[in-house]
Amino acid sequence: MSRFALCVSRAIARVTGSALGPYQTAVVRIGFAATWLLFLLREYPHRQEMYGPDGTWSFDLAQQLTSDNHAFTALMSSDSQAFFEVFYFLAVLSSALLLVGWRTRATSLMFMVGVLSLQNRSVFMGDGGDNVLHLMSIYLVFTRCGQVWSLDARRAARANAARARGEPVAPDRAGPALWAVSGLVLTAAALTGRTGGGWLIPALLWATWAGVALWWAVGRRARTAEPRILLDVIANILHNGALFVIMAEACLIYATAGWYKIQGSRWQDGTAVYYPLHLDYFSPWPALADLLSANGTLVMLVTYGTVIVQVAFPFTLFNRRVKNVLLAAMMTEHAVIAIVLGLPFFSLAMITADSVFLPTSFLHRLGGWAARARDRVLRRDDPPLPVPRSPEADEQPRVGFGA
C-alpha cells in the first residue's frame, strides 16, 4: 500500500471512528449557551419592546418580512402575549439546560429554535455577535457536544461504573418522555400549518426526531452490533463535519474582517481604533477610553496589530505555537472590547468561537482547575467519577432525546 493510500485510510478511520475534539465542542456548547442565557436575562425587562407582539418591530411587519425571506421563527405562530411569555421562558430554560449539558440532543434543538425564533422575529436588534450565535446554534445540533463536562457525561460514567460492578442500571424515562412530547409538538405544528416559515429547520427537527427513534430501535432490537456501529459512524461523521465547519466559519470571519479592514483608509493610516473610543454609544467608561486613545503610538500599534492578527490567523493553524500566541492575542482583544466599548455579548460570542482552537492539554488543565474549585466550594472529599473521553461512544444506547 502506498504512503498516500495509508494516510487516507488512517484519516478516514479517525473521522469515522470517534467524535473528535470533545473538549473543544464542550467549550463551544457552554460558551454559546452562557452567552445567550446572559443576554436573555439582561434583556428580560425589555423583552416586550424587542421581541414581543406589540414591540417596536410589530407582529405584522415581522410577518411580512418572514413571508418574503422565509426565515424560521416560531413566534410567528401566534401573536398571543401568553404564547410569547411561555416561549421566552422556554428559551431561557433551554439555554440553562444546554449550559449544564442535560439531554444535549434535545436541548440543543430547543436552543436552536429559541435563538432563530427570537433573532428572526426582530432582525434589526442584532449585531455581529448575534450573527455568529445564529450560525453556531445550527451547527451545534450536529455535534455530540455532551461528551465531557456535562450531566450527560456524568450519567453515562455512572451507568458504565454500575455495569462494571455488575449492578443493574435504572431504565431511562426522561428520554422517552422528551421524545413523545416533542413528537406531539411537531405533529401539532405540522397539522395547524405553524411550522415557523421555511422548510429547512422543520425538516431538521423531524429528521432528528426520527433519527433518535431509529437509534433507540437499533439499540433495543438489533441482534448484531453492525447496525449500531453504522449509526455511530454516521453520528461521528456529522459531528466531525460540524466541528470542521465551526472552525472554518471562525477562520472566514477573521479573514474577511481583516482583508476588508486593509481596504479602509483609517486602518491604513493607523487611526481606526481611535474613533470608536469616542462614540458616546460605545463609551461606557469615557475616562478609560480617553486614557487608551491619548497615546497615539498605542492606537497605531493596536490598529495595525488587529489587521495583522486577523489576516494571519487562518494561516497560523499550520503552526501550533504561533496559532496559540495569536489566539491569546485575539481573546485578549475581545475581552478589552467587552470592557472598553461595552460589547460583552459580542465579545463573549467571539471568544467562544475562538475557543474551538484551544489546545486539548490546556482544556484538560482548565477542567482540572474547575473540578478542584468546585470540590473546595462544595467541600467534597470523595474522588470524582471516571469520565471517558467519548462516553457517547462507549455507553449503551440511550433512549429518546437523551441520545
Side-chain angles (χ1 to χ4, degrees), residues 350-380:
M350 293 307 303
I351 290 175
T352 303
D354 296 341
S355 300
V356 74
F357 299 103
L358 288 174
T360 303
S361 58
F362 171 76
L363 294 177
H364 270 294
R365 291 194 296 270
L366 184 64
W369 297 335
R372 286 191 291 271
R374 177 202 61 194
D375 293 340
R376 290 194 188 99
V377 172
L378 300 179
R379 296 182 179 179
R380 290 171 50 179

Side-chain angles (χ1 to χ4, degrees), residues 286-308:
L288 180 59
D290 292 339
L291 178 63
L292 293 176
S293 61
N295 190 322
T297 303
L298 178 62
V299 170
M300 182 188 66
L301 291 176
V302 173
T303 301
Y304 288 148
T306 299
V307 176
I308 293 172

Side-chain angles (χ1 to χ4, degrees), residues 168-219:
V169 179
D172 182 19
R173 293 184 174 85
L178 281 172
W179 183 83
V181 171
S182 62
L184 291 175
V185 172
L186 289 175
T187 302
L191 293 177
T192 57
R194 298 179 178 181
T195 55
W199 62 270
L200 178 60
I201 301 303
L204 177 59
L205 295 174
W206 275 111
T208 306
W209 185 82
V212 170
L214 178 62
W215 185 281
W216 176 85
V218 168

Side-chain angles (χ1 to χ4, degrees), residues 284-365:
W285 314 99
L288 180 59
D290 292 339
L291 178 63
L292 293 176
S293 61
N295 190 322
T297 303
L298 178 62
V299 170
M300 182 188 66
L301 291 176
V302 173
T303 301
Y304 288 148
T306 299
V307 176
I308 293 172
V309 168
Q310 290 183 348
V311 172
F313 178 74
F315 302 99
T316 63
L317 298 181
F318 301 101
N319 188 302
R320 183 176 301 178
R321 293 182 178 179
V322 178
K323 181 263 295 182
N324 291 338
V325 172
L326 291 190
L327 191 61
M330 290 192 300
M331 288 184 169
T332 302
E333 180 184 19
H334 286 302
V336 173
I337 290 174
I339 298 172
V340 177
L341 299 182
L343 297 171
F345 300 111
F346 166 78
S347 297
L348 188 55
M350 293 307 303
I351 290 175
T352 303
D354 296 341
S355 300
V356 74
F357 299 103
L358 288 174
T360 303
S361 58
F362 171 76
L363 294 177
H364 270 294
R365 291 194 296 270

